[in-house]
Amino acid sequence: MGYIKSALLEETGYAVLDMYGKEIDPKEWLDIEYVDWKSSGDTRFAPLASAKGEIECNGFWNHQPPRTDKDGVWIPSQTEKAPTLTERALEPGSNVGRCRIIELQPNTYADALYNLHQDDNNRLNPDGTGWVVRSFFNLTDDKDSFFVLRDNRTDPNGETRIALPAGAQLVIDTQRLWHAAYHPGDEPRYCLITSWESGPELDAYMAKYNGVNKVESVPLDQETIDAGQAEQERRIAARAAALAARGQREVLAMSEA
């Protein structure tokens, strides 16, 4: 049968929507509670909706009973402090799973390439239902930052770089695309991330904001690209060697026990 997916995301896996032009009080993302949760960099997260309405960020399948990333439970102590952001997450009318604000500390382009990852959005998602994708609503004005998207983690060909000024709105199939943010600023970057279920509601929302599935990449000089790629390859190899060595040590320790 397959899953219900959005035609707009079929070709490239992403959509860039119109900029959100209204002012939002920074207190909505600065005055709520964060938890240490690492994801592609030096990060913390402030959940607005979670599996059971608790201030935690675990995948819904890690709870009892385990379930897919849908039907998130809103956290009153958080949503009361972030009413506009909660309203934005609910605006499409799509089923919402996890919803949280990410705080990302400054990094390098090489960091972003090493941190490229795919999300686990559809574990336990029943066949014939809507495919879960993620929206990214940039809150801080990170004019020099951009989102890196790749079909293949280690292949720079076809890399898409999407600018992240305040109000930028993206919808991405993050289970399909490798992704991470490059943020060279002096202050943390804040962004609202919401798991949405694909379907007619999400399609109408993307149409309302004139979603397009191809944009011109943020320019980046070839020297930076090459240096970042080389550093990515070095770090991946170093991690693989460290894991292999640890495995050998564990095997040796077991044999000596």
Side-chain angles (χ1 to χ4, degrees), residues 57-192:
C57 296
N58 238 324
F60 289 7
W61 44 85
N62 291 321
H63 293 267
Q64 294 299 325
R67 57 191 175 89
T68 197
D69 192 6
K70 299 179 183 179
D71 300 308
V73 179
W74 297 97
I75 308 168
S77 63
Q78 299 282 74
T79 58
E80 289 169 2
K81 296 177 182 179
T84 309
L85 301 186
T86 304
E87 181 182 306
R88 296 246 58 223
L90 290 167
E91 184 179 348
S94 301
N95 186 299
V96 174
R98 279 172 286 181
C99 180
R100 57 258 184 96
I101 298 161
I102 184 174
E103 175 192 81
L104 172 66
Q105 297 296 331
N107 62 13
T108 66
Y109 176 67
D111 291 333
L113 294 188
Y114 179 67
N115 289 323
L116 285 168
H117 65 285
Q118 294 168 310
D119 292 326
D120 191 355
N121 296 329
N122 290 280
R123 191 187 303 191
L124 305 182
N125 191 9
D127 190 35
T129 66
W131 187 252
V132 176
V133 297
R134 291 191 184 179
S135 72
F136 297 82
F137 173 40
N138 215 61
L139 303 173
T140 40
D141 197 22
D142 306 310
K143 293 180 179 177
D144 296 323
S145 303
F146 53 75
F147 223 59
V148 180
L149 302 178
R150 286 185 177 183
D151 288 309
N152 183 315
R153 182 188 185 192
T154 58
D155 185 359
N157 293 320
E159 175 179 288
T160 300
R161 299 179 291 274
I162 303 175
L164 294 173
Q169 301 186 93
L170 317 175
V171 179
I172 302 173
D173 184 348
T174 56
Q175 186 164 321
R176 166 182 167 183
L177 294 176
W178 294 84
H179 60 284
Y182 164 51
H183 176 55
D186 296 326
E187 300 293 332
R189 167 184 172 255
Y190 291 91
C191 176
L192 177 68

